[in-house]
Amino acid sequence: MLLTIPLKVISAHFFFSYTSCCSLWGNVQTTPDIPAIAKYFTTKGRYEEVNPYLIDDILAVNKSLVKPPSAECREIHLTAIIRHGSRYPTTKNVKKMRALHNLVVQKASGEERWLREITQWKMWYTDEMDGRLVQKGVLDHRHLAVRLSKLFPSLISKEKLQDGHIKFMTSSKHRCVNSTLSFQGGLAKLWDIEDEEIDYEVNDALMRFFDKCTRFVETVDKNQSAMAELDKFTSSAEMRRVQEKIADRLLVPYSHITSDMAEAAFYLCAYELAIKTINSPWCQLFDEADALVLEYANDLKQFWKRSYGHDINSKSSCILFHDVFSRLDRAANEIRSGSNVTEAATIQVGHADTLLPLLTLLGFFKDSVPLTSNNYVTQGQRAFRTSRMMPYAANLVLVLYDCSGNLRLQALLNERPLAFPGLADNQGEEGAPLYQDVRDHYGELLQGCDFEKECQLFPSK
């Protein structure tokens, strides 16, 4: 489904509602009081925790870190798969938060100032918010658009946008559509564009492939036994200790604090920072040791539901994998034939559930030992850490370069170079291996990885 919206409408909708902390472009004017545990907020974390330099200048780019493979290289195509921006909690999480808040108001006691602040805190989250994009999420994508245009000015340019050489695609979910509009609006504001129309395509087949993969839905998503490791960790001594410490701080019986309530309190701290940029009194319920346990619990969930835990998790993204490489191949073939590249940049906005299976299929962040319920202590240095991989507005950017006839591919995650696994000896300058070597490395997937076959509940022999 292809939709068109005037850029003037984007500007009017997204550029005249600012938070008190922000200037016209959302630059932070005062340094917020950030909770010490913010770097452990997993998929509920802010993008700024991954790139702390953005706290001082939200439009800053690190061109010493992100640059062409060599001086002779020019970028010819960019594909970006981006998670939506900061959002409200889902209805499911709001209900958990409400249960915790009611318990605290009715049962908690103590004289500490922060505890009085919690008991006086008003429950303002409602079921109707249900994961909708917040103003900070608008800013996330507006700012990301500007930074990417600064990093790749020949691909994300006013001329390319107006000539239709930048394509936009989104999931149908409101938070993704509004993130896409925010990205477009960021470019419109940057280049002072009004009264022009720009297309975006709603494509759930690509951006919500997980909903359409029957084998994933039936054997993982709807199958509680697929999450056995998470369930066991939820009942572990580490998790019980976190719950007991919360109960001790609130002066309530241990039996009153469930694992759901511990998670709800942790996410209340995270949401208050992401949405309001405040250090909520809820954060006082946790120290770093607690945060590490709760981070691991969510990493277990993501590992077993969206990543290496089950083979179908990554194979469900075959359709997106092939789409990405078809765009790269088309640009490569156009350059080899002496033609102009017709699609300079592709911006695809989806979910953590879109990006994480694709990263897994490509082999990124794979530890030698899987995450399980009983190896928390030994996984302290694990590569698979969603707090670093998957904050709001997380993005995988693949940039194809023409280096005097040699095509090279550079991968970036959250605006930082990312080495292709298995190609360590052939990354080239600035971590950009020859494109043909990348294709050869993923040759088996390129020849197979058939979405229809992989997603059949009972694959034919």
Side-chain angles (χ1 to χ4, degrees):
M1 178 169 46
L2 193 64
L3 300 177
T4 302
I5 186 166
L7 286 180
K8 188 172 184 179
V9 173
I10 297 174
S11 296
H13 185 67
F14 288 111
F15 285 95
F16 297 98
S17 176
Y18 307 117
T19 56
S20 60
C21 70
C22 302
S23 67
L24 181 66
W25 278 108
N27 299 69
V28 176
Q29 297 172 337
T30 58
T31 302
D33 180 18
I34 300 172
I37 62 174
K39 59 185 176 181
Y40 304 117
F41 284 160
T42 68
T43 56
K44 306 299 186 290
R46 302 188 309 165
Y47 196 77
E48 290 87 339
E49 264 57 69
V50 174
N51 293 316
Y53 62 86
L54 296 176
I55 294 173
D56 294 325
D57 182 359
I58 198 63
L59 299 181
V61 296
N62 191 343
K63 290 191 175 181
S64 65
L65 192 63
V66 181
K67 56 187 178 181
S70 67
E72 66 181 5
C73 297
R74 64 183 182 93
E75 60 241 28
I76 60 172
H77 174 80
L78 174 157
T79 286
I81 301 101
I82 311 174
R83 186 190 178 196
H84 58 75
S86 304
R87 61 167 175 81
Y88 288 116
T90 60
T91 299
K92 180 180 178 180
N93 277 329
V94 169
K95 293 182 186 301
K96 293 179 182 179
M97 293 171 182
R98 189 177 296 121
L100 171 69
H101 179 247
N102 290 339
L103 171 73
V104 170
V105 170
Q106 296 169 13
K107 302 291 185 181
S109 59
E111 298 301 322
E112 292 87 348
R113 177 182 173 183
W114 63 267
L115 186 54
R116 292 199 304 272
E117 290 175 350
I118 283 182
T119 56
Q120 294 168 6
W121 183 84
K122 302 298 182 184
M123 177 62 187
W124 64 278
Y125 297 102
T126 65
D127 293 351
E128 291 72 28
M129 291 174 173
D130 195 23
R132 293 185 178 275
L133 198 71
V134 299
Q135 178 65 20
K136 175 60 167 59
V138 171
L139 296 175
D140 289 339
H141 273 253
R142 187 199 319 178
H143 297 150
L144 179 60
V146 174
R147 293 196 302 272
L148 289 181
S149 72
K150 291 166 72 174
L151 286 170
F152 306 104
S154 68
L155 297 180
I156 302 180
S157 67
K158 181 177 182 179
E159 179 185 16
K160 291 287 195 297
L161 182 69
Q162 292 178 316
D163 289 346
H165 295 308
I166 302 177
K167 306 296 184 183
F168 296 91
M169 183 184 298
T170 176
S171 149
S172 63
K173 288 290 185 180
H174 39 69
R175 55 185 172 271
C176 295
V177 172
N178 287 336
S179 291
T180 304
L181 295 176
S182 300
F183 193 103
Q184 293 174 338
L187 299 180
K189 184 65 179 179
L190 176 66
W191 298 320
D192 196 26
I193 299 174
E194 293 187 359
D195 298 319
E196 294 187 26
E197 294 185 342
I198 187 167
D199 296 333
Y200 67 88
E201 177 186 355
V202 175
N203 190 329
D204 281 344
L206 286 176
M207 307 317 293
R208 290 186 63 84
F209 52 77
F210 43 88
D211 282 342
K212 303 176 184 303
C213 182
T214 304
R215 186 155 69 96
F216 166 76
V217 171
E218 296 299 327
T219 66
V220 178
D221 195 33
K222 292 183 178 180
N223 179 14
Q224 188 57 40
S225 67
M227 305 302 292
E229 292 299 320
L230 173 61
D231 292 341
K232 285 187 281 188
F233 188 72
T234 300
S235 303
S236 68
E238 290 93 348
M239 191 61 118
R240 283 198 303 275
R241 182 58 185 144
V242 172
Q243 294 167 226
E244 289 169 358
K245 287 166 71 176
I246 294 173
D248 287 340
R249 288 165 181 144
L250 295 174
L251 297 180
V252 300
Y254 288 167
S255 61
H256 284 27
I257 303 298
T258 65
S259 59
D260 277 353
M261 286 185 174
E263 179 186 74
F266 192 57
Y267 286 163
L268 269 170
C269 174
Y271 279 117
E272 295 283 272
L273 178 65
I275 296 172
K276 293 185 171 183
T277 321
I278 62 172
N279 188 343
S280 169
W282 292 101
C283 302
Q284 299 299 316
L285 288 173
F286 305 98
D287 57 27
E288 185 175 37
D290 303 326
L292 283 165
V293 172
L294 290 163
E295 179 193 40
Y296 190 74
N298 191 61
D299 283 353
L300 271 176
K301 176 182 177 181
Q302 300 301 328
F303 183 89
W304 288 95
K305 192 167 187 177
R306 300 293 177 184
S307 190
Y308 293 105
H310 302 286
D311 183 62
I312 189 56
N313 295 347
S314 62
K315 292 295 179 62
S316 66
S317 71
C318 285
I319 189 170
L320 181 57
F321 169 85
H322 283 295
D323 177 75
V324 168
F325 272 91
S326 70
R327 294 173 190 279
L328 293 169
D329 284 347
R330 183 164 61 246
N333 291 334
E334 287 170 339
I335 285 295
R336 291 181 183 124
S337 66
S339 305
N340 292 324
V341 174
T342 54
E343 194 168 305
T346 308
I347 309 299
Q348 298 173 287
V349 180
H351 309 262
D353 301 346
T354 309
L355 190 47
L356 192 51
L358 180 63
L359 287 171
T360 303
L361 189 66
L362 293 170
F364 292 113
F365 305 106
K366 185 174 185 179
D367 294 286
S368 57
V369 177
L371 277 65
T372 66
S373 58
N374 59 11
N375 63 3
Y376 164 71
V377 174
T378 59
Q379 288 283 15
Q381 301 302 316
R382 65 189 180 277
F384 190 89
R385 204 159 213 143
T386 55
S387 295
R388 300 172 189 170
M389 299 157 54
M390 209 55 56
Y392 293 121
N395 53 91
L396 173 66
V397 177
L398 298 172
V399 188
L400 190 63
Y401 290 93
D402 180 8
C403 303
S404 299
N406 292 318
L407 299 182
R408 292 187 175 274
L409 187 65
Q410 184 182 62
L412 307 171
L413 184 70
N414 303 329
E415 299 170 72
R416 293 174 178 271
L418 187 63
F420 285 97
L423 285 170
D425 295 331
N426 194 24
Q427 292 289 322
E429 296 180 35
E430 305 302 331
L434 292 170
Y435 180 54
Q436 187 58 50
D437 288 346
V438 177
R439 291 194 92 264
D440 290 344
H441 179 69
Y442 294 115
E444 187 174 336
L445 290 172
L446 287 168
Q447 293 300 316
C449 204
D450 184 286
F451 179 82
E452 296 299 331
K453 291 182 179 178
E454 296 290 349
C455 289
Q456 288 178 4
L457 186 57
F458 303 106
S460 56
K461 296 181 180 179

